[in-house]
Amino acid sequence: MKGIYSALLGAFDTAGRVDARGVHALVRHNIENCHVDGLYVNGSTGENFMMTTEAKKQVFSLAAEAAQGEIHMIAHIGSTVLEETLELADYVAGLDYDAVSAVTPFYYKFSSEAIKDYYRTIASKSRLPVVAYYIPALTGVQLDVSDIEEILRMPNMIGLKFTSNDFFTLERLRYALPDKLILSGYDEMLLSAAVLETDGAIGSTYNVIGHWAKQVVEAVRANDLAKARKMQHHMNVVISDVIDAGLYPTLKEIAAQYGVPIGGCKAPMKPTTDAQREAGQRIFNYIKSVDDRS
Ligand code: MN9
């Protein structure tokens, strides 16, 4: 299950309902244009924490159907409602998914013991193997290396999505857990994470530049750091522009330029602005200009 995974963007209509055609088109675009090795469905980028259980199920089913078993599929089922997480684990086990993933429970200041119990429960009840999702900047949940290690050593836990710029922790985890799947988040740090022998990455910008991410990883593996730096630089031009304009709406506008209209973000996020539409067009042109030159 190694490789580059897109954290699949959400596709919604103006009323916030799941746009089935949008999901289908976006999955095919990720496979055919971005050449990703897998999809991480209903993660942060998929707007998970603004979705109803029904909408999550709809997206899980639509995405798996569109992917047709061609790539790895991870279903993010994490929720502070443990019953919902288990219901979704059961639901995706009946679809074409390789693993489930769950974010560290957040909002309440759960103790590390409570967080470990959460993963123990999911890992024991899920029919699919489990990938923990660590993203302290959004959850406020910070775990010690020893706690993460303990979680990953539980039966049925196969890996970790590590979205943090703490490279010290990342090295400690890689060293301690050579057989676990470690996928880095933060697309802007892909090169540095790949140098530490991570197994791949999951990211939002791979919905539009997954083909560059693959080149970064391949170059690092071939010890061609000059090439890796060059491609990470191109990625970072896109990432800083996208972050400045507004991350998810702008990524959606770039996807629209690829011929994949997937609407704007769900409330309470704001509707897409004209400035974001223009940024999407401009950034898409940059991507095309780099692609045309290589
Ligand atoms: O880890 C994504 N995290 C979030 C996945 O969206 C919260 C990343 O891909 C970032 O979007 C990306 C831009 O900062 O690195």
Side-chain angles (χ1 to χ4, degrees):
M1 291 189 61
K2 298 180 180 195
I4 294 293
Y5 289 68
S6 276
L8 196 69
L9 286 160
F12 303 104
D13 66 18
T14 47
R17 285 176 302 235
V18 174
D19 167 12
R21 284 171 61 181
V23 174
H24 182 92
L26 183 64
V27 168
R28 295 314 308 168
H29 156 76
N30 266 291
I31 296 174
E32 285 154 25
N33 300 327
C34 303
H35 308 294
V36 297
D37 304 294
L39 291 177
Y40 190 81
V41 181
N42 285 338
S44 309
T45 303
E47 301 173 51
N48 180 301
F49 306 103
M50 296 176 283
M51 291 167 73
T52 63
T53 310
E54 257 336 287
K56 291 178 197 179
K57 286 183 178 175
Q58 246 181 301
V59 172
F60 283 136
S61 143
L62 289 164
E65 198 181 290
Q68 297 173 7
E70 292 170 35
I71 51 172
H72 306 307
M73 298 290 283
I74 301 177
H76 177 263
I77 59 167
S79 164
T80 47
V81 184
L82 184 54
E83 290 89 344
E84 183 192 26
T85 298
L86 298 177
E87 182 184 334
L88 292 174
D90 200 51
Y91 183 76
V92 296
L95 304 172
D96 212 352
Y97 282 84
D98 302 287
V100 295
S101 181
V103 73
T104 53
F106 55 92
Y107 189 80
Y108 300 102
K109 301 287 174 208
F110 298 107
S111 66
S112 56
E113 289 312 311
I115 294 172
K116 283 182 233 170
D117 283 347
Y118 174 81
Y119 284 110
R120 213 171 276 117
T121 305
I122 298 169
S124 67
K125 302 225 159 135
S126 167
R127 282 178 277 155
L128 293 175
V130 185
V131 174
Y133 178 13
Y134 184 60
I135 179 163
L138 287 189
T139 56
V141 176
Q142 202 109 34
L143 291 169
D144 292 338
V145 171
S146 60
D147 290 325
I148 300 177
E149 251 191 85
E150 202 178 319
I151 291 169
L152 291 206
R153 289 192 200 283
M154 292 172 186
N156 205 26
M157 292 296 307
I158 58 161
L160 174 69
K161 174 184 193 297
F162 183 86
T163 305
S164 157
N165 54 18
D166 177 357
F167 284 94
F168 178 41
T169 296
L170 181 58
E171 191 280 336
R172 295 287 71 205
L173 289 170
R174 176 70 298 173
Y175 179 77
L177 301 160
D179 301 326
K180 298 290 178 178
L181 185 75
I182 301 185
L183 301 167
S184 67
Y186 288 143
D187 317 359
E188 41 280 55
M189 296 164 191
L190 175 62
L191 186 165
S192 325
V195 168
L196 289 176
E197 299 192 299
T198 43
D199 300 299
I202 300 170
S204 62
T205 66
Y206 307 153
N207 284 275
V208 297
I209 49 170
H211 56 304
W212 293 358
K214 291 199 56 136
Q215 290 182 49
V216 169
V217 168
E218 277 158 27
V220 168
R221 223 169 269 144
N223 262 318
D224 185 352
L225 287 186
K227 169 82 187 287
R229 272 195 298 267
K230 186 177 117 190
M231 292 318 294
Q232 181 73 61
H233 167 76
H234 288 313
M235 283 180 59
N236 287 355
V237 170
V238 168
I239 294 167
S240 32
D241 281 1
V242 159
I243 289 175
D244 282 351
L247 182 61
Y248 304 139
T250 308
L251 287 174
K252 290 180 184 205
E253 288 310 308
I254 302 173
Q257 292 292 317
Y258 270 105
V260 183
I262 46 174
C265 290
K266 278 197 70 156
M269 285 198 184
K270 298 288 286 174
T272 308
T273 63
D274 287 339
Q276 287 167 335
R277 276 187 201 99
E278 281 155 29
Q281 211 163 67
R282 186 167 32 80
I283 299 166
F284 174 76
N285 290 339
Y286 176 75
I287 297 171
K288 284 291 132 192
S289 73
V290 172
D291 284 344
D292 288 346
R293 267 183 279 142
S294 58

